[in-house]
Amino acid sequence: MSASGQAPAAPVPPRRRRRGLKWLVGVAALLAAGIAAIWLLLPPERALRLALARLEPALGLSIQFDGAVDYRLRGTPQLVVHDVTVRAPGTQTPMLQARRVLLALPWKTIRSRGADLEITRVELDSPQLQLPVLLHWLDTRPPGDGALPPFTDGLHVRDGRLDAEDWRIEGLTLDLPTLHAERAVTGQVAGTAIVDALRIPFRLRLQADRPLAFSRVEARGTLSADSGEGRLDTRLALEATRVDADAPGLTLAPLRVAMDARWRAEGTDLPFAFGLQGRLAFADGRLMLAPIGLATRADDVVPTFSAGGRIAYGDVLEIALDGRIAHWPAGWPALPAPLSQTDGPLPFAIRYRGPATLGAPLSLHVAHAGARFDGSARVPEVLRWLDALDSGTPVPPLRGQLRIDRLEVPGATLEGLEIDVDDGSAP
Protein backbone atom coordinates (compact mmCIF):
# COMPACT_ATOMS: atom_id res chain seq x y z
CA MET A 1 0.00 0.00 0.00
CA SER A 2 1.09 3.57 -0.56
CA ALA A 3 1.56 6.13 2.17
CA SER A 4 -2.03 7.37 1.64
CA GLY A 5 -3.39 3.93 2.23
CA GLN A 6 -4.79 3.51 -1.38
CA ALA A 7 -3.83 0.85 -3.83
CA PRO A 8 -2.23 2.06 -7.10
CA ALA A 9 -4.55 2.16 -10.18
CA ALA A 10 -4.53 -0.96 -12.24
CA PRO A 11 -2.89 -0.54 -15.69
CA VAL A 12 -5.26 -0.42 -18.69
CA PRO A 13 -5.10 -3.71 -20.49
CA PRO A 14 -3.46 -3.47 -23.92
CA ARG A 15 -6.63 -4.88 -25.53
CA ARG A 16 -8.77 -2.00 -24.15
CA ARG A 17 -6.21 0.58 -25.28
CA ARG A 18 -6.27 -0.89 -28.77
CA ARG A 19 -10.10 -0.90 -28.73
CA GLY A 20 -10.24 2.82 -27.75
CA LEU A 21 -7.69 3.71 -30.40
CA LYS A 22 -9.67 1.84 -33.02
CA TRP A 23 -12.85 3.71 -31.96
CA LEU A 24 -11.14 7.12 -32.36
CA VAL A 25 -9.71 6.12 -35.72
CA GLY A 26 -13.14 4.91 -36.79
CA VAL A 27 -14.85 8.16 -35.82
CA ALA A 28 -12.18 10.18 -37.63
CA ALA A 29 -12.55 7.97 -40.68
CA LEU A 30 -16.34 8.41 -40.67
CA LEU A 31 -15.98 12.17 -40.39
CA ALA A 32 -13.45 12.25 -43.20
CA ALA A 33 -15.65 10.01 -45.30
CA GLY A 34 -18.66 12.24 -44.63
CA ILE A 35 -16.78 15.35 -45.60
CA ALA A 36 -15.37 13.63 -48.66
CA ALA A 37 -18.83 12.41 -49.62
CA ILE A 38 -20.26 15.93 -49.35
CA TRP A 39 -17.31 17.29 -51.29
CA LEU A 40 -17.71 14.65 -54.01
CA LEU A 41 -21.49 14.74 -54.16
CA LEU A 42 -21.73 18.51 -53.70
CA PRO A 43 -18.56 20.15 -55.03
CA PRO A 44 -18.50 23.92 -54.44
CA GLU A 45 -19.99 24.97 -57.76
CA ARG A 46 -22.69 22.30 -57.67
CA ALA A 47 -23.67 23.23 -54.11
CA LEU A 48 -24.06 26.83 -55.20
CA ARG A 49 -26.01 25.84 -58.31
CA LEU A 50 -28.42 23.82 -56.17
CA ALA A 51 -28.96 26.77 -53.85
CA LEU A 52 -29.47 29.13 -56.80
CA ALA A 53 -31.89 26.69 -58.42
CA ARG A 54 -34.15 27.19 -55.40
CA LEU A 55 -33.38 30.87 -54.82
CA GLU A 56 -33.85 32.15 -58.39
CA PRO A 57 -37.52 31.14 -58.80
CA ALA A 58 -38.27 32.30 -55.25
CA LEU A 59 -36.97 35.78 -56.12
CA GLY A 60 -37.85 35.81 -59.81
CA LEU A 61 -34.27 36.64 -60.77
CA SER A 62 -31.40 35.24 -62.84
CA ILE A 63 -28.13 35.00 -60.86
CA GLN A 64 -24.82 34.29 -62.62
CA PHE A 65 -21.19 34.32 -61.52
CA ASP A 66 -17.72 33.90 -63.04
CA GLY A 67 -14.61 32.18 -61.77
CA ALA A 68 -13.95 29.55 -59.13
CA VAL A 69 -16.09 29.03 -56.05
CA ASP A 70 -14.39 29.12 -52.66
CA TYR A 71 -15.87 26.65 -50.19
CA ARG A 72 -15.63 26.26 -46.41
CA LEU A 73 -17.22 23.35 -44.52
CA ARG A 74 -16.06 24.03 -40.97
CA GLY A 75 -18.84 25.49 -38.81
CA THR A 76 -21.51 26.97 -41.06
CA PRO A 77 -20.75 26.09 -44.70
CA GLN A 78 -19.83 29.15 -46.75
CA LEU A 79 -19.59 29.76 -50.48
CA VAL A 80 -17.72 32.76 -51.88
CA VAL A 81 -18.06 33.78 -55.53
CA HIS A 82 -16.83 36.74 -57.55
CA ASP A 83 -18.17 38.88 -60.39
CA VAL A 84 -21.83 38.17 -59.69
CA THR A 85 -24.55 39.50 -62.02
CA VAL A 86 -28.25 39.54 -61.17
CA ARG A 87 -30.89 40.24 -63.84
CA ALA A 88 -34.64 40.63 -63.69
CA PRO A 89 -36.69 38.79 -66.35
CA GLY A 90 -37.08 40.70 -69.60
CA THR A 91 -34.36 43.27 -68.87
CA GLN A 92 -30.99 43.65 -70.56
CA THR A 93 -29.47 45.95 -67.94
CA PRO A 94 -28.24 44.04 -64.86
CA MET A 95 -30.15 44.89 -61.71
CA LEU A 96 -27.13 44.08 -59.53
CA GLN A 97 -23.43 43.48 -60.08
CA ALA A 98 -21.11 42.63 -57.20
CA ARG A 99 -17.37 42.10 -56.99
CA ARG A 100 -17.72 39.49 -54.24
CA VAL A 101 -20.64 37.62 -52.64
CA LEU A 102 -20.49 35.39 -49.58
CA LEU A 103 -23.36 32.93 -49.15
CA ALA A 104 -23.56 30.97 -45.87
CA LEU A 105 -25.95 28.00 -45.84
CA PRO A 106 -26.96 25.76 -42.92
CA TRP A 107 -26.24 22.03 -43.10
CA LYS A 108 -29.93 21.20 -43.45
CA THR A 109 -30.08 23.17 -46.71
CA ILE A 110 -27.04 21.33 -48.06
CA ARG A 111 -28.31 17.92 -46.94
CA SER A 112 -31.69 18.59 -48.59
CA ARG A 113 -29.88 19.85 -51.73
CA GLY A 114 -31.73 23.15 -51.44
CA ALA A 115 -35.22 21.71 -50.95
CA ASP A 116 -35.27 23.11 -47.40
CA LEU A 117 -33.96 26.52 -48.40
CA GLU A 118 -32.64 28.69 -45.61
CA ILE A 119 -29.83 31.23 -45.86
CA THR A 120 -27.65 31.97 -42.88
CA ARG A 121 -25.87 35.08 -44.15
CA VAL A 122 -25.25 37.05 -47.34
CA GLU A 123 -22.42 39.57 -47.76
CA LEU A 124 -22.07 41.79 -50.82
CA ASP A 125 -18.82 43.65 -51.52
CA SER A 126 -18.87 46.63 -53.92
CA PRO A 127 -22.31 45.95 -55.39
CA GLN A 128 -23.76 48.26 -58.05
CA LEU A 129 -27.56 48.43 -58.01
CA GLN A 130 -29.71 49.99 -60.75
CA LEU A 131 -32.72 51.61 -59.10
CA PRO A 132 -35.00 51.71 -62.21
CA VAL A 133 -34.48 47.97 -62.78
CA LEU A 134 -35.00 47.25 -59.07
CA LEU A 135 -38.33 49.12 -59.08
CA HIS A 136 -39.38 47.31 -62.27
CA TRP A 137 -38.61 43.97 -60.59
CA LEU A 138 -40.58 44.94 -57.48
CA ASP A 139 -43.53 45.94 -59.68
CA THR A 140 -43.58 42.49 -61.33
CA ARG A 141 -43.51 40.51 -58.10
CA PRO A 142 -46.69 38.89 -56.75
CA PRO A 143 -48.37 40.52 -53.75
CA GLY A 144 -46.58 40.14 -50.44
CA ASP A 145 -43.00 39.03 -49.88
CA GLY A 146 -43.52 35.82 -51.87
CA ALA A 147 -41.30 32.80 -51.19
CA LEU A 148 -38.46 34.87 -49.78
CA PRO A 149 -36.21 32.48 -47.83
CA PRO A 150 -35.17 33.42 -44.29
CA PHE A 151 -31.78 35.08 -43.78
CA THR A 152 -31.07 34.10 -40.18
CA ASP A 153 -27.84 36.12 -39.87
CA GLY A 154 -29.00 38.83 -42.21
CA LEU A 155 -27.86 40.75 -45.27
CA HIS A 156 -24.75 42.93 -45.22
CA VAL A 157 -23.55 45.35 -47.93
CA ARG A 158 -20.21 47.16 -48.06
CA ASP A 159 -18.98 49.92 -50.41
CA GLY A 160 -22.06 49.75 -52.62
CA ARG A 161 -23.45 52.09 -55.24
CA LEU A 162 -27.05 52.78 -56.23
CA ASP A 163 -27.64 54.45 -59.60
CA ALA A 164 -30.80 56.34 -60.53
CA GLU A 165 -31.23 58.31 -63.74
CA ASP A 166 -30.12 61.71 -62.44
CA TRP A 167 -28.57 60.94 -59.06
CA ARG A 168 -26.66 58.21 -57.28
CA ILE A 169 -25.60 56.95 -53.86
CA GLU A 170 -21.94 56.06 -53.27
CA GLY A 171 -20.26 54.33 -50.32
CA LEU A 172 -23.49 52.51 -49.55
CA THR A 173 -23.50 50.24 -46.49
CA LEU A 174 -26.46 48.20 -45.30
CA ASP A 175 -26.74 45.94 -42.27
CA LEU A 176 -29.91 43.90 -41.73
CA PRO A 177 -29.31 41.60 -38.72
CA THR A 178 -32.04 39.18 -39.82
CA LEU A 179 -34.52 38.94 -42.68
CA HIS A 180 -37.75 36.95 -42.78
CA ALA A 181 -40.70 37.12 -45.16
CA GLU A 182 -43.81 38.79 -43.74
CA ARG A 183 -41.94 39.91 -40.59
CA ALA A 184 -40.78 43.30 -39.38
CA VAL A 185 -37.22 44.21 -40.35
CA THR A 186 -34.76 46.67 -38.81
CA GLY A 187 -31.35 47.75 -40.03
CA GLN A 188 -28.73 50.43 -40.55
CA VAL A 189 -28.06 52.21 -43.85
CA ALA A 190 -25.44 54.83 -44.69
CA GLY A 191 -23.92 56.43 -47.76
CA THR A 192 -23.61 59.67 -49.73
CA ALA A 193 -26.23 60.75 -52.25
CA ILE A 194 -24.86 62.87 -55.09
CA VAL A 195 -27.15 65.21 -57.03
CA ASP A 196 -25.30 67.43 -59.48
CA ALA A 197 -22.68 69.20 -57.29
CA LEU A 198 -24.65 68.55 -54.09
CA ARG A 199 -23.37 65.85 -51.73
CA ILE A 200 -25.78 64.43 -49.15
CA PRO A 201 -24.17 62.06 -46.62
CA PHE A 202 -26.61 60.15 -44.39
CA ARG A 203 -26.65 57.53 -41.66
CA LEU A 204 -30.07 56.14 -40.74
CA ARG A 205 -31.68 53.41 -38.70
CA LEU A 206 -34.57 51.87 -40.62
CA GLN A 207 -37.61 49.92 -39.52
CA ALA A 208 -40.34 48.46 -41.73
CA ASP A 209 -43.20 46.08 -41.12
CA ARG A 210 -41.89 43.65 -43.79
CA PRO A 211 -38.91 43.43 -46.17
CA LEU A 212 -40.39 43.92 -49.67
CA ALA A 213 -44.11 44.63 -49.65
CA PHE A 214 -43.88 46.93 -46.64
CA SER A 215 -46.78 49.19 -45.70
CA ARG A 216 -45.06 51.27 -42.99
CA VAL A 217 -41.50 52.51 -42.73
CA GLU A 218 -39.60 54.67 -40.23
CA ALA A 219 -36.12 56.19 -40.33
CA ARG A 220 -34.10 58.08 -37.75
CA GLY A 221 -30.58 59.41 -37.92
CA THR A 222 -28.47 62.13 -39.51
CA LEU A 223 -28.50 63.70 -42.96
CA SER A 224 -26.39 66.56 -44.31
CA ALA A 225 -26.22 68.56 -47.51
CA ASP A 226 -22.93 70.09 -48.68
CA SER A 227 -23.17 72.54 -51.57
CA GLY A 228 -19.64 73.94 -51.45
CA GLU A 229 -21.05 77.27 -50.18
CA GLY A 230 -21.87 75.77 -46.79
CA ARG A 231 -23.25 72.71 -45.09
CA LEU A 232 -26.68 71.86 -43.71
CA ASP A 233 -26.57 69.29 -40.89
CA THR A 234 -29.74 67.68 -39.59
CA ARG A 235 -31.04 65.08 -37.21
CA LEU A 236 -34.22 63.70 -38.68
CA ALA A 237 -37.16 61.45 -37.90
CA LEU A 238 -39.23 60.10 -40.79
CA GLU A 239 -42.35 57.97 -40.83
CA ALA A 240 -44.49 57.03 -43.79
CA THR A 241 -47.28 54.77 -44.94
CA ARG A 242 -47.00 53.08 -48.31
CA VAL A 243 -50.03 53.46 -50.56
CA ASP A 244 -50.93 50.34 -52.57
CA ALA A 245 -47.74 48.31 -52.31
CA ASP A 246 -48.68 46.43 -55.49
CA ALA A 247 -48.92 49.57 -57.66
CA PRO A 248 -46.00 50.58 -59.95
CA GLY A 249 -43.26 52.66 -58.38
CA LEU A 250 -43.28 53.82 -54.78
CA THR A 251 -45.91 56.04 -53.18
CA LEU A 252 -45.83 57.16 -49.55
CA ALA A 253 -48.79 59.00 -48.05
CA PRO A 254 -48.73 60.45 -45.57
CA LEU A 255 -45.02 61.13 -45.37
CA ARG A 256 -43.90 63.02 -42.25
CA VAL A 257 -40.39 64.40 -41.68
CA ALA A 258 -39.14 66.36 -38.67
CA MET A 259 -35.64 67.87 -38.56
CA ASP A 260 -33.45 69.73 -36.12
CA ALA A 261 -31.22 71.54 -38.59
CA ARG A 262 -28.21 73.84 -38.60
CA TRP A 263 -26.77 75.75 -41.56
CA ARG A 264 -23.03 76.35 -41.28
CA ALA A 265 -20.84 78.47 -43.51
CA GLU A 266 -17.87 80.77 -43.00
CA GLY A 267 -18.99 83.13 -40.26
CA THR A 268 -22.53 81.71 -40.14
CA ASP A 269 -24.18 79.23 -37.78
CA LEU A 270 -27.98 79.23 -38.09
CA PRO A 271 -30.06 76.68 -36.15
CA PHE A 272 -33.73 76.04 -37.00
CA ALA A 273 -36.42 73.36 -36.92
CA PHE A 274 -38.07 72.06 -40.09
CA GLY A 275 -41.12 69.89 -40.71
CA LEU A 276 -42.73 68.40 -43.81
CA GLN A 277 -45.88 66.41 -44.43
CA GLY A 278 -47.38 65.27 -47.69
CA ARG A 279 -47.37 62.67 -50.43
CA LEU A 280 -44.25 61.27 -52.09
CA ALA A 281 -44.36 59.38 -55.39
CA PHE A 282 -41.40 57.92 -57.27
CA ALA A 283 -41.98 56.34 -60.68
CA ASP A 284 -40.24 56.33 -64.07
CA GLY A 285 -37.20 58.12 -62.63
CA ARG A 286 -39.20 61.11 -61.36
CA LEU A 287 -39.65 62.08 -57.72
CA MET A 288 -42.76 64.08 -56.82
CA LEU A 289 -43.73 65.63 -53.48
CA ALA A 290 -47.30 66.84 -53.97
CA PRO A 291 -49.26 68.02 -52.22
CA ILE A 292 -46.94 68.95 -49.38
CA GLY A 293 -46.93 71.30 -46.45
CA LEU A 294 -43.70 72.47 -44.84
CA ALA A 295 -42.77 74.81 -42.04
CA THR A 296 -39.79 76.21 -40.15
CA ARG A 297 -39.39 77.53 -36.63
CA ALA A 298 -36.38 79.76 -36.03
CA ASP A 299 -34.97 82.95 -34.54
CA ASP A 300 -32.76 85.75 -35.84
CA VAL A 301 -31.97 85.38 -39.57
CA VAL A 302 -33.87 82.24 -40.60
CA PRO A 303 -37.56 83.11 -41.09
CA THR A 304 -40.37 81.22 -39.37
CA PHE A 305 -42.82 80.30 -42.12
CA SER A 306 -45.36 77.78 -43.36
CA ALA A 307 -46.06 76.93 -46.98
CA GLY A 308 -47.76 74.44 -49.25
CA GLY A 309 -47.35 73.33 -52.84
CA ARG A 310 -45.24 70.85 -54.77
CA ILE A 311 -41.62 69.82 -55.31
CA ALA A 312 -40.53 67.58 -58.18
CA TYR A 313 -37.19 66.22 -59.33
CA GLY A 314 -36.49 64.49 -62.61
CA ASP A 315 -34.28 66.09 -65.23
CA VAL A 316 -34.43 69.31 -63.19
CA LEU A 317 -35.65 70.43 -59.78
CA GLU A 318 -39.03 72.18 -59.76
CA ILE A 319 -40.46 74.05 -56.76
CA ALA A 320 -43.83 75.79 -56.44
CA LEU A 321 -44.64 77.00 -52.92
CA ASP A 322 -47.09 79.55 -51.54
CA GLY A 323 -47.07 80.49 -47.88
CA ARG A 324 -46.65 83.07 -45.14
CA ILE A 325 -43.65 84.29 -43.15
CA ALA A 326 -44.89 84.66 -39.56
CA HIS A 327 -43.13 88.02 -39.01
CA TRP A 328 -40.22 90.09 -40.28
CA PRO A 329 -37.12 88.24 -38.94
CA ALA A 330 -35.18 90.12 -36.27
CA GLY A 331 -31.88 89.41 -38.00
CA TRP A 332 -32.94 91.05 -41.30
CA PRO A 333 -32.26 94.77 -41.99
CA ALA A 334 -34.83 97.00 -40.28
CA LEU A 335 -37.73 98.30 -42.37
CA PRO A 336 -38.54 102.00 -42.66
CA ALA A 337 -41.87 103.39 -41.43
CA PRO A 338 -44.69 102.68 -41.86
CA LEU A 339 -43.62 99.16 -42.98
CA SER A 340 -41.90 98.62 -39.64
CA GLN A 341 -45.11 99.38 -37.75
CA THR A 342 -46.87 96.23 -38.99
CA ASP A 343 -45.82 92.89 -37.57
CA GLY A 344 -48.34 90.74 -39.39
CA PRO A 345 -47.55 87.76 -41.63
CA LEU A 346 -45.87 88.24 -45.01
CA PRO A 347 -47.50 86.27 -47.86
CA PHE A 348 -44.96 84.92 -50.34
CA ALA A 349 -44.72 82.74 -53.44
CA ILE A 350 -41.67 80.90 -54.76
CA ARG A 351 -41.20 79.30 -58.16
CA TYR A 352 -38.03 77.51 -59.28
CA ARG A 353 -36.89 75.35 -62.18
CA GLY A 354 -33.22 74.42 -62.48
CA PRO A 355 -30.40 72.31 -61.05
CA ALA A 356 -30.70 70.73 -57.61
CA THR A 357 -27.97 73.07 -56.31
CA LEU A 358 -30.51 75.96 -56.63
CA GLY A 359 -28.05 77.83 -58.82
CA ALA A 360 -30.68 79.08 -61.28
CA PRO A 361 -32.77 82.21 -60.58
CA LEU A 362 -35.65 81.65 -58.17
CA SER A 363 -38.83 83.65 -58.73
CA LEU A 364 -39.91 85.43 -55.54
CA HIS A 365 -43.02 87.42 -54.68
CA VAL A 366 -43.41 88.93 -51.18
CA ALA A 367 -46.02 91.32 -49.79
CA HIS A 368 -45.99 93.27 -46.53
CA ALA A 369 -48.13 96.17 -45.24
CA GLY A 370 -48.71 98.03 -48.48
CA ALA A 371 -45.45 96.94 -50.11
CA ARG A 372 -44.83 94.24 -52.70
CA PHE A 373 -41.70 92.82 -54.28
CA ASP A 374 -41.80 90.89 -57.56
CA GLY A 375 -38.46 89.60 -58.75
CA SER A 376 -35.84 86.90 -58.49
CA ALA A 377 -32.83 85.78 -56.50
CA ARG A 378 -30.16 83.10 -56.58
CA VAL A 379 -30.01 81.03 -53.41
CA PRO A 380 -26.17 80.71 -53.31
CA GLU A 381 -25.86 84.52 -53.53
CA VAL A 382 -28.42 85.01 -50.75
CA LEU A 383 -26.52 82.56 -48.54
CA ARG A 384 -23.26 84.45 -49.15
CA TRP A 385 -25.07 87.70 -48.29
CA LEU A 386 -26.33 86.20 -45.02
CA ASP A 387 -22.82 84.99 -44.22
CA ALA A 388 -21.48 88.57 -44.53
CA LEU A 389 -24.55 90.38 -43.15
CA ASP A 390 -22.73 91.85 -40.12
CA SER A 391 -19.99 93.48 -42.23
CA GLY A 392 -21.47 93.70 -45.73
CA THR A 393 -24.32 95.50 -47.43
CA PRO A 394 -27.79 95.46 -45.83
CA VAL A 395 -29.37 95.18 -49.31
CA PRO A 396 -29.99 91.55 -50.28
CA PRO A 397 -28.91 90.31 -53.74
CA LEU A 398 -32.32 90.65 -55.42
CA ARG A 399 -33.45 91.68 -58.90
CA GLY A 400 -36.96 92.92 -59.61
CA GLN A 401 -39.39 95.69 -58.77
CA LEU A 402 -40.47 96.95 -55.35
CA ARG A 403 -43.79 98.80 -55.10
CA ILE A 404 -44.55 100.76 -51.92
CA ASP A 405 -47.86 102.53 -51.31
CA ARG A 406 -46.41 104.87 -48.70
CA LEU A 407 -42.91 105.42 -47.27
CA GLU A 408 -41.76 107.84 -44.60
CA VAL A 409 -38.24 109.29 -44.78
CA PRO A 410 -36.75 112.13 -42.71
CA GLY A 411 -38.60 115.30 -43.72
CA ALA A 412 -40.92 113.72 -46.30
CA THR A 413 -43.60 111.14 -47.00
CA LEU A 414 -43.44 109.38 -50.36
CA GLU A 415 -46.41 107.67 -51.96
CA GLY A 416 -46.80 105.32 -54.94
CA LEU A 417 -43.13 104.40 -55.18
CA GLU A 418 -41.85 101.97 -57.77
CA ILE A 419 -38.22 101.00 -57.35
CA ASP A 420 -36.23 98.80 -59.73
CA VAL A 421 -33.88 96.59 -57.73
CA ASP A 422 -30.72 95.18 -59.31
CA ASP A 423 -27.64 94.20 -57.36
CA GLY A 424 -25.55 94.28 -60.53
CA SER A 425 -24.64 90.59 -60.43
CA ALA A 426 -26.93 89.53 -63.26
CA PRO A 427 -25.04 88.23 -66.31
Side-chain angles (χ1 to χ4, degrees):
M1 300 183 86
S2 64
S4 62
Q6 294 181 349
V12 178
R15 182 177 298 177
R16 287 185 58 187
R17 287 201 302 269
R18 287 194 297 270
R19 206 163 41 234
L21 183 59
K22 288 180 179 179
W23 184 84
L24 290 174
V25 171
V27 170
L30 285 174
L31 287 173
I35 293 173
I38 293 173
W39 187 264
L40 291 173
L41 294 174
L42 283 179
E45 185 168 340
R46 187 179 176 197
L48 183 57
R49 299 283 182 195
L50 284 172
L52 294 181
R54 300 286 181 173
L55 187 60
E56 287 179 325
L59 298 177
L61 296 170
S62 170
I63 305 174
Q64 299 175 334
F65 61 90
D66 293 327
V69 179
D70 297 328
Y71 196 87
R72 193 193 78 173
L73 286 175
R74 187 178 59 225
T76 300
Q78 293 181 356
L79 301 163
V80 177
V81 292
H82 301 273
D83 300 327
V84 177
T85 301
V86 179
R87 285 186 170 85
T91 61
Q92 294 296 323
T93 302
M95 185 177 81
L96 174 71
Q97 294 175 294
R99 181 176 58 82
R100 171 187 175 272
V101 175
L102 179 146
L103 179 65
L105 302 170
W107 280 107
K108 66 177 183 179
T109 295
I110 292 179
R111 286 194 297 265
S112 68
R113 301 196 175 203
D116 185 4
L117 182 58
E118 180 180 298
I119 296 173
T120 302
R121 182 183 179 93
V122 172
E123 295 178 4
L124 302 176
D125 290 352
S126 303
Q128 296 185 25
L129 182 64
Q130 300 296 324
L131 182 59
V133 184
L134 171 64
L135 293 177
H136 171 77
W137 169 67
L138 291 174
D139 290 342
T140 60
R141 286 183 55 80
D145 287 337
L148 181 71
F151 292 62
T152 58
D153 195 23
L155 172 66
H156 308 272
V157 174
R158 292 290 177 273
D159 192 27
R161 174 176 170 137
L162 185 145
D163 285 308
E165 294 183 358
D166 299 294
W167 55 274
R168 66 187 185 276
I169 296 176
E170 295 182 350
L172 180 65
T173 65
L174 176 66
D175 288 294
L176 303 178
T178 184
L179 194 62
H180 295 266
E182 311 299 336
R183 293 190 196 174
V185 58
T186 61
Q188 303 274 353
V189 62
T192 300
I194 299 175
V195 185
D196 294 334
L198 191 65
R199 299 181 67 85
I200 308 172
F202 59 89
R203 183 174 297 276
L204 303 171
R205 178 174 177 81
L206 302 177
Q207 181 174 348
D209 59 347
R210 62 182 64 181
L212 297 179
F214 65 88
S215 59
R216 287 191 57 79
V217 63
E218 296 180 3
R220 282 169 173 74
T222 61
L223 180 146
S224 300
D226 192 336
S227 66
E229 300 288 341
R231 182 182 176 95
L232 178 68
D233 294 317
T234 74
R235 296 193 64 85
L236 69 82
L238 176 153
E239 59 180 36
T241 300
R242 187 174 182 182
V243 179
D244 192 0
D246 302 322
L250 174 67
T251 302
L252 302 176
L255 166 71
R256 298 185 180 93
V257 180
M259 293 183 179
D260 288 324
R262 187 177 292 269
W263 170 261
R264 291 184 173 94
E266 185 178 354
T268 303
D269 188 350
L270 303 175
F272 62 96
F274 174 84
L276 178 150
Q277 178 170 328
R279 178 187 180 93
L280 179 150
F282 183 82
D284 299 324
R286 182 175 174 82
L287 177 69
M288 173 73 75
L289 285 163
I292 61 163
L294 49 86
T296 63
R297 186 179 69 254
D299 297 317
D300 196 36
V301 173
V302 178
T304 294
F305 72 86
S306 60
R310 59 186 287 273
I311 299 175
Y313 182 71
D315 297 332
V316 295
L317 176 64
E318 300 175 68
I319 301 174
L321 296 173
D322 296 272
R324 290 174 177 267
I325 299 174
H327 50 79
W328 188 263
W332 289 8
L335 292 171
L339 302 181
S340 60
Q341 299 168 4
T342 302
D343 195 31
L346 289 73
F348 72 89
I350 289 175
R351 302 293 184 269
Y352 177 80
R353 178 180 173 82
T357 55
L358 299 176
L362 178 148
S363 173
L364 175 64
H365 306 276
V366 183
H368 177 63
R372 178 180 177 86
F373 174 78
D374 298 287
S376 65
R378 294 178 185 267
V379 173
E381 295 173 3
V382 173
L383 293 175
R384 286 193 291 268
W385 171 74
L386 289 174
D387 187 37
L389 189 58
D390 292 338
S391 58
T393 174
V395 180
L398 303 175
R399 289 167 289 281
Q401 188 173 71
L402 176 64
R403 297 180 177 88
I404 305 175
D405 294 342
R406 180 171 171 269
L407 181 67
E408 296 178 4
V409 296
T413 298
L414 306 177
E415 296 182 349
L417 270 71
E418 292 188 1
I419 303 173
D420 291 327
V421 180
D422 189 344
D423 67 349
S425 63

